Amino acid sequence: MGAVSSRLPVFPWDKLEPYKATAAAHPGGIVDLSVGTPVDPVPELIRCALTAASDSPGYPTVWGTPELRDAITGWCERRLGARGMTHRGVLPVVGSKELVAWLPTQLGLGPGDKVAYPRLAYPTYEVGARLARAEYVAYDDPTQLDPAGLKLLWLNSPSNPTGRVLTKDELTRTVAWAREHGVLLVSDECYLELGWEAEPVSVLHPDVCGGSHEGLVAVHSLSKRSNLAGYRSAFLAGDEAVLGELLQIRKHGGMMTPAPVQAATIAALGDDTHVTEQRARYAARRTALREALLGHGFRIEHSEASLYLWATRDEDCWSTVAHLAGLGVLVAPGDFYGRAGGRHVRVAFTATDERVAEAVKRLA
């Protein structure tokens, strides 16, 4: 029974529990900036759509309703600049983490195959490779990878944890390299609508992909942009052949987005106002925490997009975590995202305005 779990690393967040206890003991309570989970209300129009679809006694379909596919293709064309989108080029998924963890397995990868991801990265890319028994390799520049045996190349822009945004030229060069070597490129773009000092670009933009989605899949989530982390609403867009194969596999696996969530997703993708309002909240929190961290002696690197500040005091990340926990502020150690993050911490600005203000006061 333990054969599968033994392939996986220790769940990183368990290591943070003692520091969480220290922070929680602060007289003013904990300010939890460790996990980037939304705290603001789900927009009313989305909740209304969910409620209106709540009488859904039948099974939903894995591919989603035609209305959902219309909403996804329309959003991709409007927001990503993608061209020629059809229903065959989109696929709803049950939250993006599920997709990341099981994609190598669903693609049929196994021993001898390689999965590549950024040297500083969301840990689930590695987990997905481990679950499939595939090899995994971290990169600084994907075009310098050995393509032998490489079947899946992950990009992540804007990056979790660093907030770095890949330029259009970097994306174009990587797309060309992946196509040259027959490597499937999957771009995790879940923070694309949260650019602050840069304008993130999708791999599906015609200036990047040349108008063809061959060999490309983009991953998008409504968790951050619409406060729908609890709804588990996400989708894929791109190569129709790849998504068609995944659709068949996911039908057998019963990987269905609940019908009320599909209805809520349609409402969310059709409205930009709530996204603009949520961006304004995050922008204010980001500015406040950034200035407070700089004033406290931190250096901020990258962080031009996403929901995090990538910060360092030029010391071991766990020393920084302990220091901030003593102030009642909990952050994520950088080594959760790879050894290269060993002297940084990731600071989320997803806490409430009141908690962010409290963190700013303590850092002062």
Side-chain angles (χ1 to χ4, degrees):
M1 290 294 291
V4 176
S5 64
S6 66
R7 299 179 210 161
L8 306 179
V10 175
F11 188 62
W13 294 96
D14 290 345
K15 302 177 186 177
L16 204 55
E17 286 301 315
Y19 302 92
K20 185 175 183 179
T22 297
H26 190 279
I30 188 173
V31 178
D32 193 344
L33 307 179
S34 62
V35 182
T37 187
V39 298
D40 299 302
V42 173
E44 185 177 2
L45 87 159
I46 300 175
R47 286 185 278 129
C48 287
L50 183 84
T51 302
S54 61
D55 185 14
S56 298
Y59 289 111
T61 65
V62 171
W63 202 16
T65 63
E67 293 79 12
L68 175 59
R69 284 176 259 139
D70 280 341
I72 296 173
T73 56
W75 182 87
C76 288
E77 291 175 349
R78 184 180 81 250
R79 185 61 187 86
L80 305 183
R83 295 176 185 165
M85 297 295 302
T86 72
H87 284 199
R88 294 189 301 276
V90 298
L91 180 63
V93 295
V94 191
S96 59
K97 184 170 185 175
E98 168 263 306
L99 182 280
V100 172
W102 293 107
L103 182 60
T105 298
Q106 291 175 14
L107 291 172
L109 304 191
D113 298 324
K114 288 190 286 188
V115 176
Y117 50 82
R119 192 166 303 283
L120 280 167
Y122 185 45
T124 312
Y125 303 135
E126 178 185 328
V127 167
R130 286 175 177 256
L131 286 170
R133 297 182 183 269
E135 299 176 30
Y136 48 91
V137 57
Y139 64 77
D140 293 309
D141 179 349
T143 66
Q144 297 302 309
L145 287 165
D146 179 357
L150 182 60
K151 299 296 178 64
L152 173 58
L153 171 62
W154 283 105
L155 296 186
N156 181 208
S157 176
S159 163
N160 174 16
T162 68
R164 183 186 172 212
V165 173
L166 296 175
T167 66
K168 190 178 291 185
D169 287 345
E170 287 175 308
L171 291 171
T172 303
R173 179 167 56 89
T174 305
V175 166
W177 182 90
R179 285 174 168 168
E180 177 186 354
H181 296 288
V183 178
L184 176 64
L185 188 157
V186 182
S187 180
D188 182 346
E189 302 174 352
C190 289
Y191 296 93
L192 185 133
E193 293 197 280
L194 294 164
W196 310 112
E197 297 166 8
E199 186 61 39
V201 179
S202 172
V203 293
L204 302 185
H205 192 285
D207 288 352
V208 172
C209 68
S212 168
H213 300 160
E214 181 182 357
L216 307 175
V217 175
V219 183
H220 285 273
S221 167
L222 281 77
S223 293
K224 316 299 185 186
R225 52 95 72 188
S226 298
N227 297 337
L228 296 190
Y231 284 44
R232 310 314 301 135
S233 175
F235 60 88
L236 307 180
D239 190 314
E240 295 182 1
V242 174
L243 297 191
E245 177 68 12
L246 290 175
L247 174 59
Q248 296 307 313
I249 294 165
R250 293 172 71 84
K251 282 181 179 178
H252 283 289
M255 295 177 172
M256 300 174 282
T257 302
V261 174
Q262 293 189 29
T265 301
I266 294 168
L269 291 176
D271 177 72
D272 293 331
T273 300
H274 76 277
V275 179
T276 301
E277 293 172 350
Q278 188 61 44
R279 276 180 54 87
R281 295 186 190 103
Y282 285 141
R285 294 166 186 166
R286 177 183 184 273
T287 297
L289 282 171
R290 187 177 187 280
E291 294 306 312
L293 288 166
L294 291 172
H296 198 74
F298 280 87
R299 187 173 71 254
I300 308 296
E301 297 181 354
H302 299 302
S303 307
E304 58 259 34
S306 83
L307 291 177
Y308 312 107
L309 293 167
W310 189 238
T312 180
R313 297 205 309 171
D314 294 312
E315 64 183 3
D316 178 77
C317 62
W318 287 98
S319 297
T320 306
V321 169
H323 168 73
L324 291 174
L327 300 177
V329 177
L330 188 68
V331 298
D335 66 4
F336 276 11
Y337 309 94
R339 291 182 181 177
R343 299 180 72 80
H344 291 75
V345 293
R346 193 194 74 170
V347 184
F349 42 88
T350 54
T352 63
D353 291 343
E354 182 274 330
R355 288 287 86 184
V356 167
E358 179 67 19
V360 169
K361 183 171 71 173
R362 295 176 192 181
L363 288 167

